[in-house]
Amino acid sequence: DRSPSRGLGDVYKRQILACWSEASPLLHVIRRTWRTSEPTRLQQCVAGELTYIGLQIRTLDNQPGVFLHQRAYVVDLLRLWNMSACRSCAPTGVRPACSLDDASEAPEDCDISTIRLAQNLTGGLLWLSTKKRLDLAHGVCGMPTTAAKWPTRTMAASKHLFRYPCGTQRVGLMLSPSKATDSVVVYLDGSYLPRMSYLGIILLWGNRPIGWRACRPTLPAFSSTEAELQALSLGCQMGRGAAALIESWNGPLKAPWLMVKEDNLATISVVEDGGSWRTRSYVNKAAICREFRRAGLLSIEYVCTKQQLADGLTKHLGPAGVTELRQRLGLLSIEPPTRIARVTHSVKSETAAEPAAASSCSSLPGWTKSRVHDEVTALKLTTIGDVVHHRSHKSTMTMQQQQQQQQPHASN
């Protein structure tokens, strides 16, 4: 609603984020109640960015909505732990820390300072994964439970995870307006292994993520169906809370206000049919979901694994899977074109890479094909100059060596 009397606000400690019109009386009431500073508006910020509790909010050219990223926080975090010059693993994404699950049951004999260091490393990654970088959630979800028992292994895993945000510092979440706001869509998935299981839930409203969670189940699962049912129960609780919050300021949602996307047919059968006496324990776990479905408040639909968005919160997807997950969730990258146009010392490869770099960079805000062509040409000339200088230096050294070899013969 664009009426001046409605809006959204968020309060964190001494900071207030107001999302409403300047003519709204809510802003005047807040300033009259508390002694506040002059409000900083997004349109008046330097470089068009507004910082709020570590989040950088900005607008992109020719794209409606707002873009949220945490590049400044990532840079400070890497500088704090001396990881600024680490080798990035942006193409492959985050691999799960398998060493944490394969560790021995006996806890490590470490002092309290080592445990505090492991907890600080874990806290920094948790803040990053719970705000806007949901592609980090699976790699970080197992670290809080191991920081006190195996701090050395946790620190090794955290340093490996730091390589991923180092190569994807400018990746953020694009929130665009959408008309698909009738219900909350819940994508959920559960992975089952004999010693460990993971649960992943993603909430979408308006085709954009508004909440997510990657965690271990509270109870051990003995099958994939049981793991999926635990994810279903947790996803329904999160979806119910999100729907209640949306209805409090946006009006009632249309029934069914909760749409569940599930890739396990056994779980869907338990919710719809109830199963038999042999699956009574499964039915008890899905009791609340069955009640919502009978009341017409919940609908469950089968999706294949390739369309399951929460699949990336329970397992490692690989390079192609991570790239596709980012695109479907609205995670964009605003990297400068000098990183995309990778110019090597081969003149032939530079000429072939120029049109591809121009086509991929021309869609970035503020970059045209002519500007990309100039950047690639400058990089090409610099690289060719280095090659020529290297070759001339090598030829000079060769002539000097020949003269030194001929001098003894002349003296003899």
Side-chain angles (χ1 to χ4, degrees):
D1 191 359
R2 296 185 178 181
S3 60
S5 60
R6 301 188 64 179
L8 292 176
D10 185 76
V11 180
Y12 182 81
K13 292 184 178 180
R14 296 185 177 182
Q15 300 184 32
I16 301 176
L17 178 65
C19 303
W20 50 62
S21 174
E22 297 182 5
S24 175
L26 298 177
L27 185 60
H28 300 285
V29 171
I30 290 176
R31 300 195 63 184
R32 188 169 60 250
T33 305
W34 295 294
R35 186 174 58 183
T36 62
S37 60
E38 288 294 328
T40 303
R41 295 170 176 82
L42 179 60
Q43 295 79 5
Q44 300 176 356
C45 294
V46 180
E49 286 191 352
L50 179 66
T51 303
Y52 174 70
I53 60 171
L55 299 179
Q56 294 173 259
I57 307 172
R58 61 174 300 180
T59 58
L60 299 181
D61 298 338
N62 301 325
Q63 292 191 20
V66 293
F67 181 75
L68 310 178
H69 66 100
Q70 294 176 279
R71 183 175 182 271
Y73 177 76
V74 173
V75 172
D76 294 341
L77 198 63
L78 294 173
R79 187 186 300 112
L80 177 63
W81 300 108
N82 297 325
M83 296 289 292
S84 301
C86 66
R87 185 180 63 180
S88 63
C89 61
T92 59
V94 178
R95 287 188 176 274
C98 300
S99 58
L100 298 178
D101 301 307
D102 299 337
S104 59
E105 295 296 333
E108 297 177 359
D109 188 10
C110 299
D111 54 355
I112 191 63
S113 60
T114 306
I115 297 177
R116 292 287 184 267
L117 185 62
Q119 291 175 345
N120 291 335
L121 282 167
T122 304
L125 289 172
L126 274 176
W127 180 268
L128 186 62
S129 64
T130 55
K131 295 304 174 185
K132 291 295 169 288
R133 295 300 301 272
L134 64 162
D135 49 347
L136 279 167
H138 174 57
V140 184
C141 67
M143 295 175 59
T145 58
T146 60
K149 296 181 64 176
W150 306 300
T152 305
R153 295 176 182 267
T154 305
M155 287 189 294
S158 62
K159 289 184 177 181
H160 174 75
L161 291 176
F162 270 124
R163 295 170 53 194
Y164 179 63
C166 179
T168 57
Q169 298 180 9
R170 296 178 180 268
V171 173
L173 182 62
M174 186 67 194
L175 299 179
S176 304
S178 175
K179 297 181 180 180
T181 57
D182 296 335
S183 59
V184 178
V185 183
V186 182
Y187 284 88
L188 50 91
D189 189 31
S191 63
Y192 165 73
L193 289 176
R195 293 187 57 185
M196 56 181 176
S197 299
Y198 293 96
L199 306 180
I201 298 101
I202 297 179
L203 305 180
L204 300 182
W205 187 62
N207 297 328
R208 284 294 180 263
I210 59 173
W212 56 86
R213 184 175 181 182
C215 62
R216 298 283 186 88
T218 55
L219 297 175
F222 294 96
S223 64
S224 59
T225 303
E226 189 170 359
E228 294 279 352
L229 285 171
Q230 293 190 33
L232 177 62
S233 178
L234 180 59
C236 289
Q237 294 180 13
M238 295 176 59
R240 184 181 180 184
L245 179 62
I246 293 173
E247 288 182 343
S248 64
W249 58 269
N250 195 52
L253 299 174
K254 295 182 180 180
W257 46 260
L258 200 62
M259 299 180 62
V260 178
K261 306 293 184 178
E262 177 63 57
D263 61 350
N264 189 281
L265 293 176
T267 304
I268 298 176
S269 177
V270 170
V271 175
E272 293 180 350
D273 303 331
S276 62
W277 62 272
R278 296 181 179 180
T279 59
R280 185 176 299 176
S281 61
Y282 294 166
V283 176
N284 294 335
K285 291 182 175 62
I288 185 64
C289 302
R290 295 185 63 190
E291 294 297 330
F292 285 164
R293 185 176 177 275
R294 290 176 181 177
L297 303 177
L298 181 145
S299 66
I300 186 168
E301 180 183 353
Y302 173 79
V303 294
C304 61
T305 305
K306 293 183 178 181
Q307 298 179 358
Q308 180 59 261
L309 296 181
D311 197 35
L313 273 64
T314 58
K315 59 182 69 69
H316 178 65
L317 299 180
V322 171
T323 304
E324 184 179 359
L325 180 65
R326 281 194 208 160
Q327 295 176 355
R328 296 183 61 187
L329 291 177
L331 291 172
L332 305 180
S333 177
I334 52 174
E335 296 289 344
T338 52
R339 290 185 174 226
I340 301 177
R342 297 182 180 179
V343 182
T344 60
H345 290 284
S346 176
V347 179
K348 183 178 180 180
S349 62
E350 291 163 3
T351 307
E354 181 177 350
S359 61
S360 59
C361 299
S362 60
S363 60
L364 294 176
W367 290 87
T368 60
K369 290 186 178 181
S370 59
R371 184 179 179 184
V372 174
H373 176 75
D374 296 339
E375 293 289 337
V376 175
T377 304
L379 289 173
K380 186 191 302 183
L381 293 176
T382 305
T383 309
I384 295 176
D386 295 340
V387 175
V388 173
H389 176 73
H390 177 71
R391 289 179 179 176
S392 62
H393 180 69
K394 183 177 180 181
S395 61
T396 305
M397 294 296 294
T398 304
M399 295 176 62
Q400 292 178 0
Q401 291 176 1
Q402 292 177 359
Q403 292 178 1
Q404 292 177 1
Q405 293 176 1
Q406 293 176 1
Q407 286 179 359
H409 296 285
S411 61
N412 292 332

